[in-house]
Amino acid sequence: MVEGPLLEVRDVWKAFGGVQAVAGVSLRLPRGEVRALIGPNGAGKTTLLNLLTGQLACDGGVVLFKGDRISGLPPERIWRRGISRTFQITATFASLTVLENVQVAILSHQGRSRDLLSRTGRLAREAALDFLKRVGLQDQAEKMCATLSFGDLKRLELAIALANEPELLVLDEPTAGMAPQERLDLMALAVQIVRDRAVTVLFTEHDMDVVFAAAERIMVMHQGRVIAEGTPQSVREDPQVQAIYLGGLC
Amino acid sequence: MLDVIDLDAYYGLSHILFGVCLRAARGEVVALLGRNGAGKSTTLKAIMGLVPPAAGRVIFRGEDITGKPPHVICRKGIGFVPEDRRIFPDLTVWENLEVGRSVEGNGERRWTAERAFELFPALKELARRRSDSLSGGEQQMLAIARTLMGNPDLLLLDEPSEGLAPLVVRTMAEHILRLKQAGITILLSEQNLHFATRVSDRAYILEKGRIQYEGGMAELSANAEVRRRYLMV
Amino acid sequence: MALFIVQLLTGLANAMFLFLVASGLSLIFGVTRIVNFAHGSFYMLAAYLASSLAAALPLGPASFYAAVVLAPLGVALLGGLIEVCLLRRIYRAPELYQVLLTFAVVLVIGDAVKFFWGTENRTGPSPPGLSGSVPILGQLFPTYDLAILLLGPLLALGLWWVLHRTRWGILIRAATSDREMVGALGVNQAWLFTGVFVLGTWLAGLAGALQMPRVALTTVMDSTVIVETFVVVVIGGMGSAFGALLGAVLIGVLQAFGILWLPREFQLAIIFILMAAVLILRPWGLLGRPETESGTAGEALRREVGGRLRPPRWVWAGILLALMVLPSLLPTFYVWVLVEILAFALFAGSLQLLVGTGGMLSFGHAAYFGLGAYGAALLMKQAALPMPVAFLLAPLVAAAAALFFGAFCVRLSGVYFAMLTLAFAQIAFAVVHQWYDFTGGDNGILGVWPAASLAAPVRYYYLALLAAVCGLSALWRVTGSPFGYTLRAARDHPRRCQAVGVNVRSHRLLAFGVAGFFAGLGGAVFAFAKGSVFPDYLSMPMSVQSLVMVLLGGIHALAGAPVGAAVYKLLDIVITKYTGYWQAVLGGILVFLVVAFPHGLVGFVQARWARMRASLG
């Protein structure tokens, strides 16, 4: 039996007021692939990701993960199925230390977030340190999250997202706001981590250097639709993509 | 008319602009090109006072307006049309225009709703409609018309062609050229090179928060190397 | 049938007042994003002012009408002053501070009214020319109410005209959806804000002045009306003037028929059921808009001060030892003061879990303190349980109520959450206050004394100490547990927290239950210390007190709660020695705290501590 795609999206729609943000997107993402989702501002990329991970509800269409329908589930249930994500605007728990940020995520994964009586200090500490080591933050474990540099926050977010050992990792502009070299480094790190564990990745990104360095396949969105999909080379040469996204019109 | 000197800006913790310098002479249409996330919007917002500049200066008609509140900058004669248009959805088209209207008799009062409707005839039909029922192109026209009501001498347009259907993009270009004829200086950010080529006199290319290229629009069109490098065309 | 019509008309007349107050609150919120808890105070002030003006003006019968015009204008002027001098400083501050500041205004105006007009209920003059009744289908209906019924729609129409036909109104509506853009289009927001605030307070003032001949003027008018107003705007939708109208008509009419058909105790229940139904179906109200990217109170509290203060164990041991030894050295009066402080420490500590750790700004925490107290009293008196059993079961009563109310509250966040907690607390207060057969109404329940073996002051003190130490350590334990950390994570970033598999609502509800439990324990300690329970244990001032204690101590540290409780109680004792206007002083302290010590006393010490450690390397 041939295994179906890890993630399958069938004709998903979403409108805000009169604006059709996502207009009938379908996609199949096989296990183990690293795929980039690009497109101009307002193309609907972030909205699509929010539909996949449950932050928004679809107006129409279905999302299947490992063959099971996940559209309509709240974000926390989708996470428990094995899809984790990061946000475009860095989202961490600012009043906790770096280590505690990861601990919270691991304890949630272990189903202990309603434990009222244990002391958090040592719980899941080793595992959390292990995740921090993977993203190169082990030396900053005891720092308050609010004092981290921007690049380190992005790394921390990655560590948090890995805490449930996800099968699918969704990254919304993982390198936005970073210096050029930092961007390439962070994405290389992310790719290396996911390669080690055969995690499937779907990410949006504005920096084409990062996209072409990391993605195996690229999907291009425009006005809520997927207008092209293929290898980096084929997308780069696609005349329609050049016309709409990378260059001109009229 | 506008002189931006060594502008630095942050968005929260992330450093977006690094020493951006640019100028626009009276009557010019200047394009700010670059890919998503290059810092185009932030540059316009920093000029308008919506993002506080961390360093550098913004000089408008010889006056330092760096760090002034947006309403003061607006009254000095700079109009801003944001990328996502930000029309007031509960208000009618006419009411949206009314919000933009300048009440200070700026010497020569130029813009009225009637004149805006002359420029954008499509809006006239819609004057009494709630503006959230407008299409993307109509919303863009409304956003521009609303800003014109403040009698700006300099218009900052953030990605005017974004999200518009090809035919509407063409009309938008004509509108911008007509505004230029009316004597308004325009600084626009754009990803769409063809559109920018059609309307602009000069261009700056912004890449990762820094100005990487500056020159006439015609030169840029001729310079395949620069286009490939920064705009990937 | 005739009765039905008359009752409907009465309901509509009441609705007109609710509409005026609620539309003002809603307009102010729409533009400034501040929930003005002092809104009801302006209403009360205008009523008193109008009654005095009507008596003092030398215009004969016209004095009444002149007063009705002048009093709202005076109040609006005061509102403008308050906006310019106080609120303008805090538009960017965390909403906790905004709400506390408007609360300070509530307290000051409340005491000002007591100072100038006394605490006796007053009746306003009757309206010349409109004082009689007219027969409607054989039933008598007050002429004045009929006039109100005619005036109300005119005012609503006028408000509609201002909002839709004047430039200023258009700007107000535009600013309600996007303030920043209005600024970028050249509108000076500062004056727009002041203008809206003046208009809003004028509407509240007008309602108060018009209400003057209809109802008795009392010093609790402010809290009564603000709670009804909250219910109206929660139902109608914040920021929508038409929502206010709709909500006001629904509530006004329901109340009118409730009086007719329901026993007194259950009249409030019907409003509660309506509100609950609306909240389940449309958490943002019938005509409101869903909140975008909601803020919680924790939103701006993220900028946690410096390091964390971990006093060495001997400090705790020392304090405990002192508390063990102290009562045998103190006069009895001070032993009872200490017992009260211990009860309040539990009360404030449980609130700290909600506000500090959970970022949930509760303005009705006294409900659970009070229900703990009443639970204890009722279990002993009505269920005839022995005192120790009643004492132990009381917190469960409070926790059950907290879980029930909390289930609705956790659907909302930020100021909506705060309004709803207050509304529920006020409903609990009203039920206790009116259910004479069961709770004794405002006579309270007397003779709630500890069992004989615990009755001696020092013995009871040790029981209270045991309860407080156990309760606070349990709260401390919860704060440091995986649950506590998850709660903080949900406060810092609800969306991120959901995206690591946490059901934020259910965790917040659990926190609500835990906090209710320990507040109830505090209430039980308090009840047996006083030997009686009264409805005002559940009242709004009581809720404010607990917040002030938490704020005094610093909302980030549980250790702040007992410190805050002690400082507060001692201040109370000292200040009431010198003046009867303790609330006004409290309001002043609040203003000072919000402006000068936004991190509280313990937070202040923590920041110092962190800086000291940093300078020592």
Side-chain angles (χ1 to χ4, degrees):
Chain A
M1 201 186 97
V2 182
E3 200 191 352
L6 182 70
L7 179 78
E8 184 174 1
V9 177
R10 288 192 201 144
D11 196 29
V12 157
W13 293 74
K14 180 72 187 178
F16 298 111
V19 182
Q20 195 68 49
V22 170
V25 168
S26 297
L27 69 93
R28 294 162 71 88
L29 192 59
R31 194 179 282 275
E33 188 176 301
V34 175
R35 183 178 296 184
L37 176 61
I38 65 171
N41 280 342
K45 305 183 297 287
T46 297
T47 306
L48 178 61
L49 297 193
N50 285 338
L51 294 175
L52 301 185
T53 55
Q55 270 76 27
L56 294 171
C58 307
D59 296 341
V62 281
V63 182
L64 302 173
F65 182 64
K66 297 195 284 189
D68 296 328
R69 186 188 170 119
I70 56 164
S71 37
L73 295 181
E76 63 266 22
R77 303 263 304 270
I78 291 178
W79 187 82
R80 298 205 172 275
R81 299 276 180 110
I83 304 181
S84 197
R85 70 167 296 174
T86 66
F87 291 91
Q88 193 169 351
I89 297 164
T90 324
T92 53
F93 308 126
S95 74
L96 307 184
T97 67
V98 172
L99 184 69
E100 289 163 354
N101 263 273
V102 184
Q103 275 176 302
V104 164
I106 297 175
L107 288 167
S108 163
H109 182 49
Q110 294 174 351
R112 304 192 61 177
S113 66
R114 285 191 188 79
D115 180 342
L116 290 168
L117 298 173
S118 308
R119 304 289 303 278
T120 306
R122 290 183 200 289
L123 292 178
R125 192 185 162 88
E126 292 309 314
L129 280 171
D130 188 47
F131 283 116
L132 288 178
K133 201 176 288 172
R134 273 191 241 164
V135 298
L137 278 179
Q138 68 274 28
D139 297 336
Q140 320 229 36
E142 302 297 336
K143 269 196 179 174
M144 292 302 287
C145 181
T147 64
L148 283 192
S149 76
F150 191 70
D152 287 343
L153 277 176
K154 289 277 185 188
R155 284 166 197 273
L156 174 57
E157 231 202 322
L158 191 59
I160 295 172
L162 290 170
N164 63 336
E165 303 282 358
E167 292 177 74
L168 171 62
L169 189 58
V170 173
L171 307 173
D172 195 0
E173 297 198 21
T175 74
M178 299 174 84
Q181 190 54 47
E182 258 189 318
R183 294 178 177 209
L184 288 169
D185 293 348
L186 181 80
M187 204 60 209
L189 174 74
V191 168
Q192 182 216 322
I193 292 171
V194 301
R195 285 263 179 280
D196 289 350
R197 333 202 130 216
V199 179
T200 311
V201 176
L202 179 64
F203 73 103
T204 66
E205 180 57 60
H206 281 325
D207 189 329
M208 289 305 136
D209 300 342
V210 172
V211 170
F212 288 120
E216 291 164 346
R217 288 175 76 81
I218 299 178
M219 247 166 43
V220 187
M221 273 185 85
H222 181 57
Q223 298 192 342
R225 294 170 190 283
V226 175
I227 58 160
E229 191 207 311
T231 61
Q233 192 56 32
S234 70
V235 164
R236 204 196 288 256
E237 284 162 4
D238 186 317
Q240 201 191 356
V241 174
Q242 289 205 348
I244 288 175
Y245 179 45
L246 303 168
L249 200 66
C250 315
Chain B
M1 183 122 210
L2 177 75
D3 218 336
V4 174
I5 304 159
D6 287 334
L7 200 62
D8 268 38
Y10 287 78
Y11 228 73
L13 285 172
S14 46
H15 197 168
I16 304 285
L17 299 183
F18 302 84
V20 168
C21 291
L22 55 86
R23 38 193 329 163
R26 182 177 288 277
E28 249 188 336
V29 176
V30 178
L32 195 53
L33 303 172
R35 301 203 293 253
N36 275 346
K40 303 186 298 294
S41 288
T42 309
T43 306
L44 299 187
K45 283 184 184 164
I47 293 171
M48 196 63 209
L50 291 167
V51 172
R57 284 188 301 156
V58 180
I59 312 287
F60 179 62
R61 287 199 289 219
E63 185 185 350
D64 192 338
I65 58 164
T66 324
K68 290 229 179 349
H71 73 268
V72 173
I73 292 180
C74 174
R75 288 178 189 185
K76 301 238 180 251
I78 302 185
F80 173 62
V81 180
E83 179 184 15
D84 42 3
R85 288 130 205 182
R86 288 167 78 169
I87 54 152
F88 305 110
D90 299 336
L91 273 56
T92 64
V93 167
W94 185 85
E95 287 171 336
N96 263 278
L97 295 179
E98 177 62 24
V99 176
R101 183 166 67 87
S102 156
V103 275
E104 290 173 359
N106 211 349
E108 8 137 31
R109 262 286 293 282
R110 293 171 303 187
W111 287 93
T112 58
E114 286 68 41
R115 201 172 151 209
F117 290 149
E118 266 171 44
L119 185 68
F120 301 111
L123 290 181
K124 189 169 185 173
E125 315 285 308
L126 305 167
R128 300 276 157 210
R129 282 261 293 277
R130 261 173 69 108
S131 53
D132 57 356
S133 65
L134 268 51
S135 72
E138 289 161 352
Q139 291 193 2
Q140 181 65 284
M141 288 182 217
L142 174 57
I144 294 177
R146 181 179 67 180
T147 303
L148 288 174
M149 296 292 285
N151 301 326
D153 298 311
L154 168 67
L155 202 52
L156 309 176
L157 299 178
D158 200 357
E159 308 223 6
S161 79
E162 186 210 311
L164 302 184
L167 211 65
V168 184
V169 171
R170 198 162 306 172
T171 337
M172 192 53 66
E174 284 157 21
H175 289 318
I176 289 175
L177 288 173
R178 231 178 298 160
L179 291 175
K180 183 188 175 184
Q181 281 161 16
I184 298 178
T185 310
I186 295 172
L187 173 62
L188 56 91
S189 79
E190 196 48 74
Q191 289 189 57
N192 182 328
L193 184 61
H194 287 195
F195 178 83
T197 311
R198 211 179 146 110
V199 299
S200 328
D201 304 309
R202 282 191 313 115
Y204 292 88
I205 295 179
L206 203 55
E207 164 104 338
K208 292 172 188 170
R210 295 188 167 83
I211 297 281
Q212 302 286 3
Y213 174 88
E214 171 185 358
M217 206 64 228
E219 293 162 46
L220 179 62
S221 303
N223 191 336
E225 161 65 22
V226 169
R227 275 172 23 216
R228 187 171 312 118
R229 189 139 154 227
Y230 298 113
L231 306 170
M232 295 208 322
V233 184
Chain C
M1 187 61 203
L3 188 63
F4 179 87
I5 301 266
V6 166
Q7 212 54 29
L8 180 68
L9 290 179
T10 309
L12 286 174
N14 288 335
M16 284 342 295
F17 295 97
L18 279 180
F19 161 66
L20 287 179
V21 183
S23 61
L25 185 82
S26 216
L27 279 174
I28 291 174
F29 174 80
V31 174
T32 66
R33 299 280 136 186
I34 284 189
V35 175
N36 182 20
F37 280 69
H39 204 63
S41 307
F42 291 117
Y43 164 90
M44 172 172 76
L45 190 59
Y48 274 94
L49 201 60
S51 78
S52 288
L53 279 174
L57 288 174
L59 301 172
S63 307
F64 175 88
Y65 296 101
V68 166
V69 172
L70 288 177
L73 289 177
V75 167
L77 193 70
L78 178 68
L81 269 175
I82 287 174
E83 196 277 340
V84 171
C85 300
L86 287 181
L87 296 181
R88 213 172 253 196
R89 300 169 184 279
I90 55 156
Y91 283 127
R92 284 166 196 281
E95 57 204 3
L96 170 66
Y97 299 132
Q98 297 178 342
V99 171
L100 276 172
L101 202 57
T102 63
F103 237 110
V105 177
V106 172
L107 297 174
V108 174
I109 292 183
D111 262 5
V113 165
K114 283 178 198 150
F115 178 78
F116 288 112
W117 286 282
T119 50
E120 292 292 301
N121 289 1
R122 293 162 71 98
T123 29
S126 54
L130 297 172
S131 53
S133 295
V134 285
I136 294 181
L137 299 172
Q139 293 268 338
L140 283 181
F141 188 73
T143 318
Y144 187 72
D145 280 15
L146 206 59
I148 292 294
L149 279 177
L150 297 176
L151 184 64
L154 280 181
L155 284 168
L157 215 63
L159 190 60
W160 182 89
W161 185 82
V162 167
L163 288 177
H164 289 261
R165 288 288 176 268
T166 68
R167 174 178 167 80
W168 188 58
I170 291 170
L171 292 181
I172 289 175
R173 283 162 56 223
T176 301
S177 62
D178 191 341
R179 289 193 267 177
E180 193 189 48
M181 196 61 222
V182 171
L185 288 168
V187 177
N188 186 348
Q189 293 182 39
W191 289 113
L192 193 61
F193 283 22
T194 310
V196 168
F197 204 83
V198 169
L199 174 66
T201 42
W202 178 77
L203 286 166
L206 187 62
L210 287 171
Q211 190 73 284
M212 169 227 348
R214 290 181 85 231
V215 297
L217 308 187
T218 70
T219 53
V220 295
M221 284 172 89
D222 53 351
S223 54
T224 317
V225 80
I226 196 74
V227 168
E228 284 182 352
T229 306
F230 282 174
V231 173
V232 166
V233 294
V234 163
I235 287 175
M238 241 352 210
S240 159
F242 285 95
L245 185 60
L246 185 63
V249 169
L250 280 172
I251 291 297
V253 171
L254 262 181
Q255 268 178 335
F257 287 112
I259 287 176
L260 214 56
W261 293 330
L262 290 172
R264 204 170 138 81
E265 300 82 65
F266 297 112
Q267 283 159 22
L268 272 154
I270 191 163
I271 295 175
F272 162 70
I273 290 165
L274 176 67
M275 185 168 75
V278 168
L279 280 171
I280 289 168
L281 298 173
R282 287 178 67 90
W284 52 90
L286 293 174
L287 297 182
R289 284 168 173 276
E291 274 176 284
T292 50
E293 233 344 57
S294 68
T296 60
E299 195 74 22
L301 302 176
R302 283 187 211 157
R303 278 166 271 128
E304 190 104 345
V305 274
R308 297 179 201 175
L309 183 65
R310 291 258 164 77
R313 273 167 202 275
W314 59 262
V315 172
W316 293 120
I319 292 174
L320 194 60
L321 194 69
L323 285 172
M324 304 268 278
V325 177
L326 215 52
S328 47
L329 308 174
L330 287 174
T332 310
F333 171 75
Y334 284 101
V335 175
W336 287 120
V337 168
L338 278 178
V339 169
E340 261 186 60
I341 290 178
L342 291 171
F344 282 139
L346 278 168
F347 184 21
S350 63
L351 182 61
Q352 196 277 336
L353 178 74
L354 276 188
V355 179
T357 309
M360 289 176 274
L361 184 50
S362 170
F363 266 89
H365 204 51
Y368 313 107
F369 180 79
L371 287 175
Y374 267 90
L378 289 170
L379 284 169
M380 199 167 91
K381 291 276 168 186
Q382 302 272 10
L385 291 174
M387 176 267 169
V389 179
F391 184 87
L392 289 174
L393 289 182
L396 290 175
V397 174
L403 286 174
F404 179 65
F405 291 150
F408 295 98
C409 296
V410 296
R411 303 172 73 91
L412 306 180
S413 60
V415 290
Y416 292 84
F417 179 90
M419 292 192 334
L420 201 57
T421 51
L422 178 59
F424 278 128
Q426 224 38 43
I427 286 166
F429 169 77
V431 169
V432 167
H433 191 263
Q434 293 176 2
W435 201 351
Y436 281 87
D437 298 341
F438 190 58
T439 63
D442 54 5
N443 299 323
I445 300 172
L446 305 179
V448 189
W449 296 112
S453 55
L454 292 163
V458 176
R459 287 203 173 187
Y460 190 73
Y461 169 83
Y462 283 122
L463 176 69
L465 183 62
L466 185 69
V469 169
C470 290
L472 288 171
S473 349
L475 282 166
W476 183 69
R477 191 85 191 200
V478 169
T479 306
S481 71
F483 173 73
Y485 276 87
T486 307
L487 209 54
R488 277 167 65 185
R491 172 196 81 191
D492 284 358
H493 207 304
R495 222 153 56 102
R496 168 83 264 177
C497 198
Q498 271 194 316
V500 294
V502 173
N503 183 335
V504 170
R505 273 189 196 170
S506 80
H507 282 74
R508 287 186 172 159
L509 181 57
L510 183 55
F512 215 82
V514 171
F517 181 89
F518 289 107
L521 182 60
V525 170
F526 194 70
F528 289 112
K530 291 283 178 185
S532 53
V533 291
F534 294 103
D536 62 319
Y537 292 2
L538 290 81
S539 65
M540 185 163 79
M542 201 68 166
S543 292
V544 182
Q545 276 183 23
S546 62
L547 269 173
V548 174
M549 289 175 212
V550 170
L551 195 72
L552 261 172
I555 72 171
H556 297 302
L558 180 61
V563 175
V567 172
Y568 181 90
K569 190 66 205 166
L570 295 176
L571 271 177
D572 181 357
I573 290 174
V574 173
I575 292 172
T576 39
K577 245 184 213 167
Y578 298 102
T579 165
Y581 298 100
W582 156 235
Q583 300 235 328
V585 176
L586 178 58
I589 293 174
L590 262 179
V591 172
F592 176 72
L593 272 178
V594 168
V595 176
F597 287 104
H599 296 296
L601 298 178
V602 169
F604 180 73
V605 175
Q606 277 185 338
R608 276 294 162 90
W609 175 272
R611 227 173 295 154
M612 218 170 70
R613 272 207 318 208
S615 67
L616 294 174

